[in-house]
Amino acid sequence: MRILAVETSCDDTAVALLEGCSAIAERVYSQTVHGEHGGVVPELASRSHMKVLPAMVDDVLAAGGMTDAGGIDVFAATAGPGLVGSLLVGLSWTKAAAWALGKPFLGINHLAAHLFVHYGASRTVQFPAVALLVSGGHTCLFRMGSWDEITLIGSTRDDAAGESFDKTAKLTGLGYPGGALLDSAADRGDPDAVSLPSPMSDPAVPDFSFSGLKTAAKLAWERGADLNDLAASFRRTVVDLLVSKLFYQCEVLGARSVLAAGGVTANRLLRRVLEEESIKHGVRLFIPDSEHAMDNALMVGRAAAAVLDSDPSATSPLSCNAFARWSGSSLTPLCCH
Ligand code: KG4
Ligand code: ZN
């Protein structure tokens, strides 16, 4: 089963060719045009996707030894949540290709796709599991009874964790996107040097709040805190909040596996602490390599593979539209079914 997967939900254009769950070829183009604006400019993001997507598809097909898309069995694209203009580029291209070639099309939920990067992993996920999704747009905890039963436990009440990293990096002049830059600065600092609050720190409360922390970091910066020390204190505070709530749920729900996904899982301290805590709690940890922590199309392809494993005749209608937000309590990879 050859799957062509496309992801254009924000500022990364990504294409992957899969055989079942295995990547044959994949490409990601991270747009650099937004740096000078200090954040993603939606119109520029959409235009950039339009410019690079067709050539990236050709490149991925060629890398997979295919001269055209005729040998693709299923086409999958992210339908949302994300920037609607960006989503429409990948979604419209993919629906058109599926229609032209008379092949099935699957519209995929971006949040589910982040978790499904672990589907078909060499080690099997054991259920029940708890999943932490931490990206630039989302911070959520999910309970997973199986791959078909994913329930929201809690989410952020304001900024996402990645967004708080980006905003703090921006205000300290590190630049945009700042998560990785703040992470590097933190490696050089003392996490005890700057005192920051831990909003909603009760581990039993599964929701998060990061905007007050970001404001406290701003005040500390204006009072003359050292950049590296502030970065280290900020990083540790965010990581402590994420990890304490995740493992509280892990205990309460008797989870056997912990899944982490999303761009913030590239964070070095978060990775280290997740590994330590998983050993301590005796659970299997699934964390993407840094390349697949960020937006990519392999995760979209694996989500599509999972949908087809459950129901080989599954499709989304070509009327499946892009959507900006996901609200609900039950997360499924297939949209518009
Ligand atoms: O999953 P992703 O690529 O896109 C969204 O779906 O949002 O995540 C991007 C987010 C950005 O906020 C970025 O700053 C953050 O992931 N990020 C990091 C690190 N690398 C990327 N945050 C903290 N530490 C990092 N090393
Ligand atoms: Zn994402």
Side-chain angles (χ1 to χ4, degrees):
M1 168 76 66
R2 288 221 155 179
I3 302 170
L4 188 75
V6 174
E7 153 65 42
T8 60
S9 66
C10 190
D11 58 344
D12 295 311
T13 317
V15 182
L17 176 64
L18 297 88
E19 181 65 51
C21 288
S22 307
I24 299 174
E26 54 177 322
R27 299 282 184 276
V28 178
Y29 170 72
S30 294
Q31 302 174 2
T32 51
V33 62
H34 308 288
E36 65 193 86
H37 302 284
V40 177
V41 182
E43 176 64 16
L44 295 180
S46 311
R47 290 188 205 182
S48 175
H49 289 307
M50 285 177 61
K51 205 164 148 188
V52 302
L53 180 62
M56 285 178 69
V57 172
D58 289 347
D59 196 24
V60 164
L61 291 175
M66 300 171 77
T67 48
D68 57 41
I72 298 297
D73 299 304
V74 174
F75 289 84
T78 307
L83 298 173
V84 167
S86 287
L87 288 161
L88 280 172
V89 177
L91 190 62
S92 305
W93 187 94
T94 308
K95 287 196 288 188
W99 177 77
L101 293 164
K103 298 289 171 62
F105 158 73
L106 301 179
I108 298 294
N109 181 299
H110 181 74
L111 305 186
H114 269 298
L115 303 185
F116 277 76
V117 77
H118 300 298
Y119 184 82
S122 49
R123 283 184 314 144
T124 313
V125 174
Q126 294 183 332
F127 297 102
V130 185
L132 172 70
L133 171 60
V134 267
S135 68
H138 298 88
T139 303
C140 308
L141 280 173
F142 295 97
R143 178 193 186 277
M144 298 177 71
S146 68
W147 286 110
D148 295 321
E149 194 201 328
I150 308 175
T151 315
L152 184 70
I153 306 171
S155 57
T156 182
R157 303 240 176 119
D158 41 56
D159 293 348
E163 184 181 3
S164 76
F165 268 95
D166 290 335
K167 287 180 175 170
T168 304
K170 191 173 166 187
L171 74 90
T172 52
L174 280 169
Y176 181 89
L181 299 169
L182 200 89
D183 194 16
S184 297
D187 283 343
R188 299 186 288 271
D190 172 5
D192 294 316
V194 182
S195 165
L196 293 173
S198 281
M200 294 182 71
S201 61
D202 180 355
V205 176
D207 290 331
F208 302 87
S209 169
F210 295 108
S211 75
L213 175 60
K214 170 201 67 194
T215 306
K218 181 173 186 285
L219 293 175
W221 175 247
E222 287 167 357
R223 276 192 235 107
D226 174 78
L227 173 60
N228 296 336
D229 289 344
L230 179 60
S233 305
F234 180 86
R235 178 175 73 169
R236 195 182 60 188
T237 306
V238 174
V239 168
D240 283 351
L241 284 164
L242 295 173
V243 172
S244 61
K245 288 170 189 267
L246 173 64
F247 282 93
Y248 180 90
Q249 292 301 327
C250 178
E251 292 253 308
V252 167
L253 300 171
R256 299 167 73 198
S257 306
V258 163
L259 280 70
V264 181
T265 60
N267 187 274
R268 286 187 285 278
L269 180 65
L270 179 60
R271 296 179 81 85
R272 205 160 59 233
V273 178
L274 283 174
E275 268 155 30
E276 288 164 6
E277 289 296 313
S278 299
I279 292 168
K280 216 186 279 175
H281 287 79
V283 292
R284 290 184 173 203
L285 174 67
F286 294 82
I287 188 162
D289 57 44
S290 303
E291 200 183 321
H292 295 103
M294 312 296 276
D295 287 346
N296 64 88
L298 178 64
M299 66 188 196
V300 177
R302 286 192 173 157
V307 168
L308 295 169
D309 284 346
S310 294
D311 175 6
S313 61
T315 57
S316 298
L318 292 178
S319 57
C320 183
N321 213 344
F323 60 96
R325 292 184 194 290
W326 176 76
S327 59
S329 56
S330 185
L331 184 68
T332 54
L334 188 63
C335 300
C336 324
H337 46 99

